[in-house]
Amino acid sequence: MITNITISNIKGYGITDNSIDVNIDPSRVNILVAPNGFGKSSMAMAFKSLKKTKLEVEVDALHNQDETLQPSVSICLDGNTYIANSIKNDISKEITPYVINCKLDVKATSQNIHGRYSISKGSLIIGDVEICSIPAKQPKFYKYSELTHCFGAKGMVLTNIEPLFGDNMFVGLIQDYAQFFEKFKAQKRQALVDEVVAKIKQEKGTISEIRKSIADNVFSNLEAESNYMSLDELLSYGDRSSHIDKFDLFYQLFYLYKYKKDELMKASRRAVYNGFKLRFDENLHLLDTTLKGIHSSENKSTNKLMVTFPEAKRISNGQRDLLTFVSQLTEFKTNLKEGKKYLLIIDEVFDYLDDANMIAAQYYLSSILKDNSDIYVVLLTHLNPVYFRSYVFNKKLQNPQYLLNVQAKSSDAMKAFITFREGLNRTDESQDTLYGNLSRYFFHYESSTTDLSAGISAKPNLRTNWFKGINLKTYVLGELNKYLGDDATAKTYDPYAVCLGIRYRVEKIAYDLLDTVEQKETFVSTKKTDKKLEYAETQGVVVPNACFFLSLIHNDADHLKDPNAEKPCVYKLDHPILKNVVRILFKYNGSPIVINCIH
């Protein structure tokens, strides 16, 4: 578990307010939520600047671009603190960070005008993604005659397996089984191989007759050996099922491993690369809707497999983000090593994908996560974690955390009040009626009052007097005045109460613009705020636009089934522009608002 990240003198982080307490769990998708400007990209830059032995931060990424500052990064992993700075990197000894972010950049070009002055033009480019190093091609090293000669007089009992060395899948598997061939170099196991060879050499007849006449028990001792048994999947490749066919392949591969190990292993690595490149290009083709034929290419000067993208203006933002995400994720996957821990940071890549691209991106990420338990996945985002919920990132897999340290906190009484309504059984007629009355008189604007307190049973933190008259609205009014003000109490408001107060105000504005009693009754009886506002407009009322888009805030207070859960409405309420809109809506002038603003 990673429980703290501290960043000093990198981009938005100085030496104060730079310690972030987190709970990053390797078994879940950790969604770190913070508003724009918090420092999410600064965090990504800090980890991207970690090199193998030290922290190297470019001048542009230093805090205030001050070259005299000493940048550093530290993490607390499993109770131990590891630090990286300009002279050391203890972090990467314990966990390897990798950052995926938007590859968009600006390229400036200059044009000389008549030899007297120049003008500069900037264009948006998508940076290349370096996928992996390219293993060297291995010259032909298998010689059938060499194997038959080694076997002796009955050498032709071996078959020519040269075609298998043109099969990337087969050759790629060899490196996975190298450890078992290594075991047969021991004298005791080599004797088991020699025993089989000696028995075959004793057989009489043609090669075809010998292969047919070899008894199965010739291989009994060898096949009982555990390392030989472990090779069965490889030796059965191509539907080999007979004992002699499996031994034939084993003998030749073991010979090559003993005497041409380097060539064999290089060929295996190259085969894995060939198959990987083919599959990677197929995946890019499936995802590529740009009609630009985006594919990988081999850069001979750097000996790297690269993906080069067209100019940013030639493809959509969604296409760009998905393709660059999958490409970078593939690069990450190719560098995974067994037994090592990794910190995978994804910086706001998901924030601009549509639903289909979101599912595709989550699918590719999940395919890596399900096979690797040592990857700490962190999504940096400003979005509500609900946005990431799908068949892949379901609620149980998500670990949302809100990075902004806000003082505003919903009261237990407010949460208990909201969850009480949500806990009613709406299949029961009396409880459904209570749900409707609660919604009309307490969750939406209503000019009249009612008393439902007699039918409310006592529950922890539940204030039964809030179900009577304007008691709830009185509490909401107090929290609204905290929120709208500029003093110290403005930061300690109850966000759910403020959301409710905004809804009261939005609906009251539309209600007061209606002319007749019938219109007002229809308005109050209409369910859901947006439907109420739409009805008002059909009656000729001009509802301010602010009433519509503030629903993005007050809807967060609608439904809360778990009193221990929090919704991210605080981040929205604390946004300076939205807060100013709310002030305008309440005609706030610095003096406390009064009850008739919401009742």
Side-chain angles (χ1 to χ4, degrees), residues 452-516:
L452 301 176
S453 59
I456 306 300
S457 56
K459 290 188 176 183
N461 301 314
L462 189 63
R463 297 184 183 178
T464 54
N465 69 321
W466 280 5
F467 295 85
K468 180 179 180 180
I470 63 169
N471 292 331
L472 173 63
K473 289 183 178 178
T474 301
Y475 172 77
V476 167
L477 181 67
E479 298 306 305
L480 279 169
N481 277 310
K482 286 183 186 179
Y483 169 70
L484 295 171
D486 289 316
D487 59 11
T489 62
K491 296 181 179 180
T492 60
Y493 62 88
D494 183 334
Y496 286 175
V498 170
C499 285
L500 203 52
I502 292 171
R503 179 188 288 119
Y504 292 155
R505 180 62 181 169
V506 164
E507 294 182 4
K508 185 178 190 303
I509 289 172
Y511 177 90
D512 288 344
L513 291 171
L514 293 168
D515 295 323
T516 68

Side-chain angles (χ1 to χ4, degrees), residues 121-139:
K121 287 185 176 182
S123 59
L124 288 175
I125 62 170
I126 305 171
D128 294 347
V129 177
E130 180 183 292
I131 303 299
C132 64
S133 297
I134 304 171
K137 290 183 179 180
Q138 183 59 38

Side-chain angles (χ1 to χ4, degrees), residues 38-309:
F38 172 84
K40 299 186 296 296
S41 293
S42 298
M43 182 187 295
M45 174 59 72
F47 284 102
K48 200 173 183 69
S49 301
L50 287 172
K51 307 305 178 186
K52 188 173 183 179
T53 59
K54 62 182 179 178
L55 178 68
E56 294 182 10
V57 182
E58 296 180 359
V59 174
D60 288 346
L62 288 168
H63 185 58
N64 295 329
Q65 298 182 352
D66 185 345
E67 295 183 59
T68 65
L69 298 176
Q70 295 298 314
S72 67
V73 180
S74 73
I75 66 169
C76 183
L77 173 64
D78 296 333
N80 299 308
T81 299
Y82 303 98
I83 300 172
N85 53 33
S86 59
I87 60 174
K88 67 175 183 178
N89 179 6
D90 293 334
I91 294 175
S92 294
K93 295 176 183 177
E94 300 297 325
I95 188 168
T96 302
Y98 183 85
V99 177
I100 292 178
N101 55 12
C102 177
K103 301 293 289 184
L104 202 61
D105 204 351
V106 177
K107 180 181 180 181
T109 56
S110 297
Q111 182 179 1
N112 188 276
I113 307 298
H114 304 305
R116 288 186 283 180
Y117 62 92
S118 63
I119 59 173
S120 295
K121 287 185 176 182
S123 59
L124 288 175
I125 62 170
I126 305 171
D128 294 347
V129 177
E130 180 183 292
I131 303 299
C132 64
S133 297
I134 304 171
K137 290 183 179 180
Q138 183 59 38
K140 179 180 176 181
F141 62 94
Y142 174 80
K143 294 181 180 179
Y144 177 55
S145 59
E146 181 180 339
L147 269 297
T148 56
H149 177 76
C150 174
F151 199 87
K154 299 293 193 305
M156 296 301 289
V157 78
L158 301 177
T159 57
N160 190 340
I161 62 170
E162 184 170 359
L164 284 175
F165 286 93
D167 185 332
N168 285 322
M169 183 175 292
F170 170 76
V171 182
L173 283 172
I174 293 173
Q175 62 181 335
D176 296 334
Y177 291 92
Q179 58 180 310
F180 303 112
F181 288 112
E182 182 69 30
K183 299 289 186 181
F184 275 94
K185 291 167 70 176
Q187 185 175 356
K188 184 177 179 180
R189 296 187 184 92
Q190 175 71 65
L192 295 174
V193 179
D194 293 341
E195 176 189 345
V196 174
V197 173
K199 289 179 178 179
I200 292 175
K201 288 181 178 179
Q202 293 173 4
E203 297 288 336
K204 306 293 184 181
T206 65
I207 296 300
S208 177
E209 290 171 344
I210 291 174
R211 288 184 66 93
K212 290 179 181 179
S213 64
I214 297 174
D216 291 346
N217 60 12
V218 168
F219 307 95
S220 297
N221 293 335
L222 177 62
E223 290 177 345
E225 210 287 321
S226 61
N227 290 285
Y228 191 87
M229 292 166 60
S230 298
L231 287 164
D232 189 67
E233 183 179 0
L234 179 66
L235 302 183
S236 301
Y237 192 88
D239 295 327
R240 284 176 171 78
S241 57
S242 71
H243 299 273
I244 182 59
D245 284 342
K246 291 180 181 181
F247 176 78
D248 177 3
L249 183 56
F250 165 78
Y251 181 87
Q252 297 194 58
L253 290 178
F254 179 46
Y255 175 90
L256 294 172
Y257 184 83
K258 282 178 66 176
Y259 301 108
K260 298 185 177 183
K261 179 179 176 180
D262 287 346
E263 293 94 325
L264 184 64
M265 292 299 101
K266 287 178 181 178
S268 186
R269 287 192 288 271
R270 179 69 189 198
V272 170
Y273 165 79
N274 290 339
F276 160 78
K277 183 179 184 304
L278 180 63
R279 291 190 302 275
F280 177 58
D281 282 335
E282 287 175 349
N283 286 335
L284 279 185
H285 177 70
L286 288 173
L287 297 170
D288 182 13
T289 58
T290 66
L291 303 180
K292 304 297 179 185
I294 297 172
H295 58 86
S296 66
S297 59
E298 296 182 346
N299 187 318
K300 294 182 179 179
S301 61
T302 62
N303 200 42
K304 302 287 186 182
L305 183 68
M306 311 288 294
V307 179
T308 302
F309 296 91

Side-chain angles (χ1 to χ4, degrees), residues 317-562:
N317 291 344
Q319 291 170 330
R320 175 199 71 211
D321 288 342
L322 179 62
L323 290 169
T324 56
F325 169 75
V326 171
S327 298
Q328 291 177 85
L329 191 63
T330 303
E331 177 192 358
F332 170 71
K333 183 178 180 180
T334 60
N335 289 291
L336 291 177
K337 292 182 174 60
E338 190 174 349
K340 293 195 66 175
K341 295 179 180 178
Y342 294 87
L343 174 60
L344 176 61
I345 298 174
I346 303 171
D347 182 20
E348 295 195 319
V349 171
F350 286 86
D351 292 13
Y352 308 103
L353 298 177
D354 60 25
D355 290 345
N357 283 336
M358 170 68 82
I359 291 172
Q362 290 188 25
Y363 169 77
Y364 279 94
L365 180 57
S366 69
S367 66
I368 290 179
L369 297 184
K370 69 180 181 181
D371 297 324
N372 297 273
S373 60
D374 289 330
I375 300 177
Y376 294 69
V377 177
V378 172
L379 305 186
L380 299 176
T381 182
H382 61 265
L383 298 175
N384 188 324
V386 172
Y387 180 68
F388 297 93
R389 192 165 299 165
S390 71
Y391 75 98
V392 177
F393 291 171
N394 60 58
K395 187 176 181 179
K396 291 182 179 179
L397 185 62
Q398 288 187 28
N399 180 29
Q401 296 170 61
Y402 300 96
L403 300 183
L404 184 63
N405 185 18
V406 295
Q407 292 176 266
K409 186 177 180 181
S410 292
S411 66
D412 291 336
M414 194 72 234
K415 289 190 286 186
F417 184 82
I418 296 172
T419 55
F420 175 82
R421 183 185 69 150
E422 289 306 300
L424 293 172
N425 179 8
R426 300 192 64 187
T427 61
D428 179 277
E429 184 176 354
S430 62
Q431 291 195 41
D432 187 53
T433 299
L434 178 58
Y435 184 98
N437 287 331
L438 286 172
S439 299
R440 172 165 179 157
Y441 289 97
F442 299 99
F443 284 83
H444 292 274
Y445 174 75
E446 167 62 77
S447 59
S448 60
T449 62
T450 190
D451 183 357
L452 301 176
S453 59
I456 306 300
S457 56
K459 290 188 176 183
N461 301 314
L462 189 63
R463 297 184 183 178
T464 54
N465 69 321
W466 280 5
F467 295 85
K468 180 179 180 180
I470 63 169
N471 292 331
L472 173 63
K473 289 183 178 178
T474 301
Y475 172 77
V476 167
L477 181 67
E479 298 306 305
L480 279 169
N481 277 310
K482 286 183 186 179
Y483 169 70
L484 295 171
D486 289 316
D487 59 11
T489 62
K491 296 181 179 180
T492 60
Y493 62 88
D494 183 334
Y496 286 175
V498 170
C499 285
L500 203 52
I502 292 171
R503 179 188 288 119
Y504 292 155
R505 180 62 181 169
V506 164
E507 294 182 4
K508 185 178 190 303
I509 289 172
Y511 177 90
D512 288 344
L513 291 171
L514 293 168
D515 295 323
T516 68
V517 174
E518 290 77 10
Q519 288 175 329
K520 292 184 176 184
E521 175 56 31
T522 301
F523 178 89
V524 170
S525 300
T526 300
K527 297 178 179 179
K528 296 186 177 181
T529 302
D530 58 343
K531 300 298 182 183
K532 292 174 184 284
L533 300 183
E534 289 172 8
Y535 166 75
E537 290 201 320
T538 65
Q539 303 305 303
V541 169
V542 178
V543 179
N545 285 335
C547 291
F548 285 98
F549 67 72
L550 281 177
S551 64
L552 295 172
I553 296 178
H554 64 67
N555 281 345
D556 272 346
D558 257 349
H559 306 286
L560 185 69
K561 295 185 178 181
D562 179 3

